[in-house]
Amino acid sequence: MSVSNTVFRTIIVLALVSANINSVNMSYPANANDSATMGLFTMQSHIAKRNEDVIEKRALDTIVNNTEQSEDDASDSGETMETDIIRVSDIEVSGFKDTIKVDETIDLTAVVLPQNATEQTLFYYSVDNAVATVSSSGKITGRAAGETDIVVEADGIKKVMRLCVKTPTDKLVMNRDYIVMKIGDSVRLEISILPASADQTIELKSSDTEVATVTGDGMVTANGLGSASIIVKTWDTSRVVNVIVNSGDLMNADVSLVEGDPIEANSATGSDFSLKSTKAVSLLQDIVNSSDDAKFIVSGADMRIVTSDILKVLYGTRKELTVVHDSYTVNLLGADILNINNELDTVLELTFIDGNLQIITNGENSLPGKIDIKIMSESDYEFLYIYNNTTNAYEKLNAVYDKNSFYVNFSGKYLFCENELISEWLSWGFIAVLFVILVGASVIFVAIRKRHWFW
């Protein structure tokens, strides 16, 4: 029972006491002049006084009892109220990432603990809205590079999470995609991260340290025969550099590779080596003994010409040969070879013309079949044209399958461009049309003016 109820009941009791007292509060009769009347009045006064005492005692007992009951009720009520409120002890958050990109969004999911807590309302806010903002539903958006705290709050309990916002990596530029080495050789990888505002931290790791190791500054060292991958990783992207370690001493290689006559050099190629050279013999032996889908990577410094004999053992298979030069690679798949007599010179003639890259393949001699060429450059070449000697103009080809990568089926002069070319005939045609329009407009103007002259 509340205190207000106790006060109310006390007031009622006091009112009743007052009424009873008044009902027995008799005044002395004006005509009381005889002894009988006086005696009767005295007796009634005693009775009234006794009744007053009884009523007063009962009223006091009632007030005390009501007060004690009210205190007990209030105590019970307090215990009940305290028991009904369940406080939040913790907040469980899921979906949070400690590092995000600028403009990236993530959605938080938060739950108060215990789950039956009285207060269930959650509040989200960021300490620095310039770095990241958070909506009332828990959606975080990266605004600029930097760090801030994301806070989730409920019933006085806070969950604080440190958030780092970074500029994303647009491009990871390297001077090598392949490295062909001998045991003991060292080559340095040159790596740059674009844009400059992106995190410049780079992690380098070798997939097989017995074949090749790499230092933190990009120095790759060949330790043993075989192949390995150098993994170049930033905080949000990665690339792989393939490393091939060949033996530097193959003088005892077996030259009897296939049935029939021993393989002889083809002097017509003008090659710097004959097929009796150690590198050529080793490559041929590897190709012959390999599985049908094997891949071979060799340095252009070691092997410039892919001879007819190499084309012969590749022909009709899924075997793949890649010749690596400093600024490009030439790739040949056995299944794409059409003529094994058309030997391939892997050295390309590269010339920069007005920001575009002119490429002459195979000295303009016929190709053995389709070849793939990848230019290792920071530029993004996406449009390929071949020069038509009949029309003396470049014609566009749909042969680019990736940035800086294309395939060709015919030798010739190519132009690799970052932007589309405007056809020469289109330029002259536009000029001619513009000239005709200007001449026509001039004639009309003169004719109109001339009419006014005669007026």
Side-chain angles (χ1 to χ4, degrees):
M1 181 181 297
S2 66
V3 175
S4 60
N5 288 338
T6 302
V7 172
F8 177 75
R9 291 177 63 180
T10 302
I11 292 171
I12 295 298
V13 171
L14 291 175
L16 290 174
V17 170
S18 177
N20 283 313
I21 291 173
N22 290 333
S23 66
V24 297
N25 189 16
M26 302 175 63
S27 59
Y28 186 79
N31 57 354
N33 52 10
D34 57 6
S35 60
T37 301
M38 290 295 295
L40 177 61
F41 176 80
T42 302
M43 183 181 63
Q44 289 176 343
S45 296
H46 286 299
I47 293 171
K49 178 63 173 155
R50 187 182 61 183
N51 289 338
E52 180 182 346
D53 293 340
V54 171
I55 291 172
E56 209 171 291
K57 183 177 184 306
R58 288 179 179 176
L60 291 173
D61 290 343
T62 301
I63 291 172
V64 171
N65 291 335
N66 286 342
T67 302
E68 291 177 352
Q69 181 64 38
S70 298
E71 291 175 353
D72 292 340
D73 291 344
S75 176
D76 293 342
S77 175
E79 290 176 2
T80 302
M81 292 173 63
E82 189 68 29
T83 303
D84 289 343
I85 298 177
I86 302 175
R87 314 297 298 191
V88 175
S89 62
D90 197 4
I91 302 174
E92 185 178 83
V93 180
S94 60
F96 179 76
K97 296 196 303 183
D98 57 7
T99 303
I100 63 173
K101 301 176 183 178
V102 174
D103 294 330
E104 182 182 356
T105 62
I106 56 175
D107 292 307
L108 298 184
T109 300
V111 178
V112 299
L113 297 176
Q115 294 185 4
N116 62 339
T118 302
E119 182 58 69
Q120 294 285 324
T121 305
L122 291 160
F123 299 95
Y124 302 86
Y125 61 90
S126 169
V127 172
D128 189 348
N129 286 324
V131 175
T133 57
V134 57
S135 69
S136 59
S137 61
K139 180 185 288 293
I140 298 175
T141 303
R143 299 298 181 186
E147 293 187 357
T148 185
D149 286 332
I150 302 298
V151 183
V152 185
E153 184 175 355
D155 194 19
I157 300 299
K158 293 182 180 181
K159 194 79 168 183
V160 182
M161 296 158 289
R162 192 65 173 172
L163 175 69
C164 180
V165 181
K166 293 186 177 183
T167 302
T169 303
D170 288 341
K171 185 183 292 186
L172 187 58
V173 181
M174 297 189 295
N175 63 332
R176 298 291 187 98
D177 279 338
Y178 300 93
I179 303 177
V180 181
M181 312 170 70
K182 302 180 184 69
I183 295 176
D185 286 350
S186 293
V187 174
R188 184 180 299 279
L189 286 176
E190 296 177 5
I191 306 167
S192 59
I193 299 174
L194 300 177
S197 59
D199 190 335
Q200 298 294 307
T201 305
I202 298 175
E203 179 184 344
L204 298 170
K205 183 180 179 180
S206 172
S207 64
D208 190 343
T209 55
E210 293 185 359
V211 175
T213 54
V214 60
T215 61
D217 60 353
M219 184 64 73
V220 180
T221 302
N223 299 325
L225 297 177
S227 62
S229 296
I230 303 300
I231 303 166
V232 183
K233 185 177 181 182
T234 67
W235 78 276
D236 63 338
T237 190
S238 63
R239 283 185 61 179
V240 172
V241 178
N242 294 312
V243 178
I244 304 297
V245 181
N246 292 324
S247 173
D249 183 11
L250 300 175
M251 296 304 294
N252 296 322
D254 185 3
V255 297
S256 301
L257 305 178
V258 293
E259 295 181 0
D261 295 334
I263 298 173
E264 298 292 339
N266 188 337
S267 59
T269 65
S271 169
D272 293 335
F273 64 91
S274 73
L275 291 180
K276 288 185 177 179
S277 70
T278 58
K279 293 181 177 63
V281 169
S282 176
L283 176 63
L284 276 171
Q285 184 178 24
D286 289 342
I287 294 175
V288 170
N289 296 330
S290 66
S291 61
D292 189 58
D293 58 352
K295 296 182 180 182
F296 301 89
I297 303 173
V298 297
S299 169
D302 293 335
M303 183 171 292
R304 170 176 175 169
I305 304 296
V306 181
T307 64
S308 294
D309 298 283
I310 296 177
L311 293 171
K312 182 177 179 180
V313 294
L314 287 172
Y315 178 78
T317 70
R318 298 297 301 175
K319 299 175 183 180
E320 192 173 338
L321 175 63
T322 299
V323 182
V324 182
H325 293 268
D326 288 339
S327 58
Y328 60 89
T329 63
V330 177
N331 184 270
L332 179 64
L333 183 66
D336 293 332
I337 297 173
L338 301 178
N339 190 335
I340 62 174
N341 294 316
N342 295 340
E343 297 185 333
L344 176 63
D345 187 348
T346 64
V347 174
L348 305 177
E349 297 180 37
L350 305 179
T351 306
F352 287 97
I353 302 176
D354 297 330
N356 301 314
L357 183 61
Q358 179 181 280
I359 305 170
I360 297 178
T361 59
N362 210 33
E364 298 198 51
N365 297 316
S366 297
L367 297 177
K370 171 187 167 185
I371 63 172
D372 292 87
I373 297 172
K374 180 174 182 177
I375 304 298
M376 288 180 272
S377 170
E378 294 185 10
S379 301
D380 292 330
Y381 296 112
E382 298 185 61
F383 303 96
L384 183 68
Y385 300 84
I386 186 171
Y387 189 76
N388 189 326
N389 292 315
T390 302
T391 62
N392 293 322
Y394 280 102
E395 298 177 356
K396 186 178 179 181
L397 299 175
N398 294 319
V400 179
Y401 59 87
D402 198 2
K403 288 182 179 180
N404 299 337
S405 302
F406 65 94
Y407 66 86
V408 293
N409 295 289
F410 308 98
S411 62
K413 184 189 298 182
Y414 294 88
L415 197 64
F416 211 10
C417 310
E418 292 188 81
N419 302 301
E420 285 193 85
L421 295 179
I422 298 177
S423 301
E424 186 175 352
W425 69 267
L426 182 60
S427 300
W428 282 109
F430 176 76
I431 293 173
V433 170
L434 183 61
F435 177 76
V436 170
I437 291 174
L438 291 175
V439 170
S442 300
V443 171
I444 294 173
F445 175 77
V446 171
I448 293 174
R449 296 292 295 176
K450 191 174 183 181
R451 287 177 56 191
H452 289 288
W453 293 342
F454 285 103
W455 291 353

